[in-house]
Amino acid sequence: MYSKNMGNTYVFVNQKGGVGKTTSAINIGAFLAEADKKTLLIDFDSQANLSSGVGLSGVKPGVYELISGVADINEVIKETSVPGLFAIPASIDLSGAAVELIEQQERDFFLAKAIEPVKSVYDFILIDCPPSLGVLTINGLVAADKVLIPMQCEYFAMEGLSLLLQTIKRIQKLNPRLDIGGIFFTMYDARTRLTQQVVRQVSSHFKKQVFNAIIPRNIRLSEAPSHGLPISQYDPQCIGAKAYKMLSEELIRRG
Ligand SMILES: Nc1ncnc2c1ncn2[C@@H]1O[C@H](COP(=O)(O)OP(=O)(O)OP(=O)(O)O)[C@@H](O)[C@H]1O
Ligand SMILES: [Mg+2]
């Protein structure tokens, strides 16, 4: 069988809430699909924001049924409004899974095992994680090849980043493939001096890892999910769409 690149699984992680993990997963995924890259989004957060953002709110079976062994991977992969973009939805049930997993020996490997059969089918697999470094995020990191770190340009961003980098080092013992795929800035507001300082500081520390594309604060990006559409379909000409398109092109180039 024709086999896709095996280093294709990316996980969006930042233990801080509301930094743009889900928005980025949806919109980067959509632009990858539009560039003819067959892409699978995995909602691994019981808030299920990614699922509603791609019009799959309340759809089951989903990722909980997958990792608990009740559903087969092919039953949980759903089509979205974007050709070539697929998604595994989540539901509030996933919060129970976090507790169930803690008690099991193989608890860190459930997601990795569950997606193994489809890794060769997609050009990109993007996993959206909750805002914590708990068992779900650990599963995401163990299942991934690369971590993508969205950062909001604010004062405590650097502190949060060093904790996250320590966690990634720890996970590399469980998953030696794991590498940093990149850091990118979200909700950028050029009018505030602090924003510019944070970008400069992080960029000078992590030269190679920082993406050139910066995601601006853009109201259209926050409106799109309530229509169940990625920005590429909701408003492809807005500045937020252009920034996510650039970011996805950079991701393709970096491989
Ligand atoms: N660039 C942007 N401009 C304006 N609003 C944005 C932008 N990116 C995200 N938002 C909005 O900010 C909020 C948080 O974004 P998002 O849900 O993507 O963050 P998150 O990191 O996934 O949050 P959580 O940690 O709760 O999962 C959402 O309401 C989203 O619509
Ligand atoms: Mg989220």
Side-chain angles (χ1 to χ4, degrees):
M1 199 183 83
Y2 160 63
S3 182
K4 307 267 183 178
N5 169 16
M6 294 303 279
N8 59 354
T9 305
Y10 291 76
V11 64
F12 289 79
V13 179
N14 193 323
Q15 71 274 22
K16 194 155 188 334
V19 299
K21 293 179 286 295
T22 303
T23 304
S24 300
I26 292 172
N27 293 316
I28 292 171
F31 281 115
L32 289 172
E34 296 207 347
D36 273 338
K37 303 292 179 189
K38 190 175 178 184
T39 299
L40 175 64
L41 297 172
I42 301 176
D43 190 347
F44 213 45
D45 182 358
S46 62
Q47 298 181 91
N49 295 146
L50 182 143
S51 305
S52 49
V54 295
L56 294 173
S57 189
V59 172
K60 285 188 192 179
V63 76
Y64 172 70
E65 290 77 9
L66 175 67
I67 60 166
S68 51
V70 176
D72 181 75
I73 183 98
N74 294 307
E75 292 173 75
V76 299
I77 296 177
K78 316 291 179 190
E79 287 182 3
T80 72
S81 57
V82 182
L85 182 68
F86 300 82
I88 303 180
S91 62
I92 187 70
D93 300 338
L94 193 60
S95 59
V99 178
E100 291 161 26
L101 286 177
I102 283 170
E103 285 150 19
Q104 302 193 31
Q105 259 197 348
E106 292 285 277
R107 63 176 192 185
D108 299 330
F109 295 87
F110 277 85
L111 186 61
K113 280 191 193 138
I115 66 170
E116 192 56 44
V118 297
K119 273 197 77 150
S120 60
V121 178
Y122 293 90
D123 294 298
F124 287 90
I125 298 178
L126 309 181
I127 305 168
D128 184 31
C129 285
S132 83
L133 297 173
V135 68
L136 292 177
T137 298
I138 304 292
N139 263 265
L141 287 164
V142 169
D145 304 296
K146 292 179 185 127
V147 192
L148 293 174
I149 307 172
M151 282 191 69
Q152 214 177 324
C153 311
E154 57 183 17
Y155 185 65
F156 288 116
M158 281 293 275
E159 279 83 348
L161 190 55
S162 55
L163 176 65
L164 178 51
L165 295 176
Q166 284 168 32
T167 304
I168 292 170
K169 272 217 181 95
R170 197 156 49 78
I171 301 302
Q172 281 167 334
K173 293 188 186 124
L174 300 176
N175 174 13
R177 284 191 329 274
L178 188 67
D179 201 357
I180 299 195
I183 299 169
F184 59 92
F185 298 103
T186 61
M187 297 181 232
Y188 182 82
D189 183 352
R191 289 168 306 181
T192 62
R193 197 185 296 162
L194 176 63
T195 302
Q196 299 173 6
Q197 276 172 4
V198 171
V199 168
R200 238 180 284 128
Q201 194 187 18
V202 174
S203 303
S204 69
H205 269 78
F206 301 97
K207 275 192 193 72
K208 279 197 212 124
Q209 277 107 334
V210 175
F211 283 87
N212 292 321
I214 293 180
I215 310 303
R217 190 172 280 284
N218 177 214
I219 188 84
R220 306 298 273 168
L221 288 171
S222 59
E223 291 168 357
S226 62
H227 300 268
L229 293 173
I231 201 66
S232 61
Q233 292 191 324
Y234 179 65
D235 187 353
Q237 295 309 322
C238 73
I239 55 164
K242 286 179 179 154
Y244 272 119
K245 185 163 193 283
M246 277 179 62
L247 190 49
S248 67
E249 287 165 356
E250 244 182 295
L251 194 63
I252 294 170
R253 278 200 304 276
R254 288 186 176 207

